[in-house]
Amino acid sequence: MRPPMHRARRNADRIAAHALTQDLVLVSDNTGEFSRVPARRVENWFSR
């Protein structure tokens, strides 16, 4: 039995899935949250 997914992780997965299906670049300050998503395009426009 798998442990329940945290809400933030579920939301990140949904955001990433939407970006993938629409062929969008995902912009986030927390790029590590999207590291599980294959074939992603994640950019950090907030990097310091």
Side-chain angles (χ1 to χ4, degrees), residues 14-29:
R14 290 175 182 161
I15 292 167
H18 182 74
L20 282 172
T21 60
Q22 299 298 312
D23 195 32
L24 301 171
V25 175
L26 198 153
V27 178
S28 174
D29 192 25

Side-chain angles (χ1 to χ4, degrees), residues 1-41:
M1 188 170 177
R2 293 185 297 168
M5 225 190 249
H6 295 321
R7 180 178 293 180
R9 188 173 188 183
R10 280 195 315 257
N11 288 340
D13 289 345
R14 290 175 182 161
I15 292 167
H18 182 74
L20 282 172
T21 60
Q22 299 298 312
D23 195 32
L24 301 171
V25 175
L26 198 153
V27 178
S28 174
D29 192 25
N30 187 5
T31 55
E33 186 67 34
F34 300 99
S35 62
R36 297 178 309 280
V37 182
R40 70 199 185 285
R41 294 187 306 170

